[in-house]
Each structure stands twice: as C-alpha cells, then as structure tokens.
Amino acid sequence: MIKDEMTKKLGFGCMRLPILDGDTEKIDDEQFCKMIDTFMEKGFTYFDTAFPYHNEKSEPAVKRCLVDRYERSKFFLATKMPVWNVHEYADYEKYFNMQLERTGAGYFDFYLLHALGKDRIEECEKFGGFEFIQKMKAEGKIRYAGFSFHDSADVLEEALTRHPEVDFVQLQINYYDWDSKNVQSGKCYEVATRHGVPVVVMEPIKGGTLANLAEGPANILHALDPEASIASFAVRYVASLDNVFMVLSGMSTYEQLADNTSYMENFKPLSAEEQEAIQKVVAELKKLPTIPCTKCRYCVAGCPQEILIPDLFQAYNDTVQFGVNPITMRGFNNAVNNGHCKPSECIKCGACEDQCPQHLEIRDLLEKVAATFEK
Ligand code: SF4
Ligand code: SF4
C-alpha cells in the first residue's frame, strides 16, 4: 500500500531547482545537494521530476545530486512519460529507457503518464501507454503507475473508470481552486477518492501565487500565527486531506526548503479555526481580479510571436495587488525584452489556449495586459 510506505507528506518537486546565471539549464548542483541533504536529514524521501523540466536537465541533475549520492532504497523517485512526444508504442520504450539512463535510478518508484487531459488520454489509449506502464510494472521497473492530470472532474471520472489499474493520480489541488470551475480541485479530489485512488498534489500554492497574498487576506493568516509563512497554510491545507499521500513543492531556494520542512516535519492538519480562516482568505482573494495562471509555461513554446504569456500575467497580477510602480513595470519590460513580442502584437491564433491546463482565455487577457502596460 502506497500510504503505508509514506512517513511524511512533503515531496521535493524538481521543476524549479536553483540555477546559475539565470539559465534554466544550468542547475546549481552545490545548492541542490545542500537542499537534498537537509531534506533527507529531516526524514523526507520523495522526489518528483519529469522529462521536460529545466529543458530536460532536471533528470540528469537528480542523478548527480541524489541518485549518485544516496543509497537507492533510501528515497522514492517519481518521473513522467512525455506523452506528447509519443507517436507509436515503441516511443514509450525509447523515452522510458532514456529516463532510466538519465536518472541512473534503475527503477522508478512512481511513474506517471504526464499531463493527461481528454485528448492525451485518448492518444495514450491509442498508442498503448496504459499497457506500457503496466508492463514496466510487471518487469519491476516501475513500482507504482499513475498519471498526472489537468482536466475536468468528468474526464477524470471516465479515465479512472476505464483504467481502474492505476495506483495513484497527481492532481492540481489548492484552496483557492477547490470550488473553481476551471481547475475543479475539489471535484477531482472527490472523484479520485470515490475510486479509491490515492492522490499526489501538485501546485499546492498555485505556482507561488498563494505564498504572497495582498495585505488584507495575508492579515487573516498572520492573526492565526504571526510566525507561520503564508505558503505554509496552503501546503497544510492540501496535506490535511485524508486521501492525499504526498504534496509536492517545487523548491528553488534553501530558505523555501527550510520553511517547508519546518512545518511538515511534524505535520499537524489544519484546525477548524484555521480552515475557517482559509475560507475567509479565499473570499477576500476572489474579490481581487487577478489572472489564475500557474506559470506552468505549457503555452510558451508554441506561440509564433514568442510572447512570454505567464511573465506578462505575473506582471499584470502584481499590478492588481500592488499597483503600477517601477517594480511591476520592470516585470513587464523584462517580459518583452530579447525579441519577445508585446501583448498587443498577439495575432490571436489561439495556439496557447489549446495548451493551457487552466483553460484561460489568453487572447482576451493579453488585451487587458496591453491596456495596463502599453498605454
Ligand atoms: S494567440 Fe497570441 S499569445 Fe497565443 S499563441 Fe497565438 S500569438 Fe501567441
Ligand atoms: S497561461 Fe496557462 S499554459 Fe500559460 S503558463 Fe499560465 S497556466 Fe500555464
């Protein structure tokens, strides 16, 4: 049983590792090793990477900093099949073997078909992806097989009905999106629970959004515990769900790691008072008209205008919370540097919206961004 093996509910997400020279491909090994050492010393053991993270440099960094430095039985490693690269059954084998080599792990404790939604589920069924991961499981190369998911609860219901063999699912869950129509965190969690499938949570702080709240909502949480970080309430919220066995946090700095591990080392579920405060925070936040982008960056690669959509949305959201000032303007200027087009130069092709797991109306939102910054 998965849950029996997990002693702690915090996992190290390896998608935003510390980097050098601002280059996403240059992982800061020294810092990453230091973070791993502290994480392991405190009894945490779960690491989550994926083929595309850091432009394919995350899996090799996990090899150098974790696999080559720790006994294999001392940690759990999760990685994911880049299903968008698969065009025939043989591709599954090709990428899987590449991942075994890149990580040097010998086997994966948790293996996921990556970022499934309705269309990708159908593709995986067509090319035999679900059969492939079961085959790897039978051969001992995967211990637990599942998928990460970005779509509606209805689609999840259908997927789990058709594939009762999966051992777990990875869902986007956070307190802000629990009742949202787009992400449907709450409904997806309930579907997985009804099917008896345990859950890994990704984006518990909504890509960092729930770590820096505006003053009003932040004060509600500070009043409960002035020492606790704002992010800690978001992580503890999802970790308090019974059917969640792991909460991933993409940690970029030692400080983030120190904070996360401090309250997850001896995890205490949220009290009734804290749960009530979270509901008040959600009500306050929903009054602020920010764009619920999680910065997954799935929309960026296919944009013919090379518009840095998530960076522009971040700059816009900062203005909603803090007004137009030199700092928020800098965010906008950085996003339109180096040949990247301005939001007003969007040609409305819609390629980005097809990729967005949050189902954002990116074209309309870019008009708002342009109106804010390009006056
Ligand atoms: S709609 Fe605009 S932002 Fe989206 S991919 Fe096309 S040009 Fe880029
Ligand atoms: S706009 Fe959508 S696809 Fe693009 S980064 Fe934000 S959430 Fe991801």
Side-chain angles (χ1 to χ4, degrees), residues 52-96:
Y53 292 169
H54 284 275
N55 289 348
E56 303 183 22
K57 297 294 189 286
S58 175
E59 288 179 336
V62 165
K63 177 177 191 308
R64 294 191 303 275
C65 301
L66 174 69
V67 179
D68 290 350
R69 298 173 63 244
Y70 283 90
E71 204 181 297
R72 183 63 186 86
S73 61
K74 300 288 185 215
F75 59 87
F76 298 107
L77 183 60
T79 193
K80 314 182 188 81
M81 172 64 66
V83 294
W84 50 89
N85 286 346
V86 171
H87 306 291
E88 56 175 334
Y89 185 81
D91 289 337
Y92 290 118
E93 205 146 333
K94 178 176 114 186
Y95 285 102
F96 189 84

Side-chain angles (χ1 to χ4, degrees), residues 293-299 309-310 313 355-358 360 362:
C293 165
T294 60
K295 306 187 197 88
C296 66
R297 306 191 84 79
Y298 294 152
C299 56
I309 299 160
F313 287 173
Q355 296 299 321
C356 180
Q358 308 304 319
L360 297 178
I362 295 173

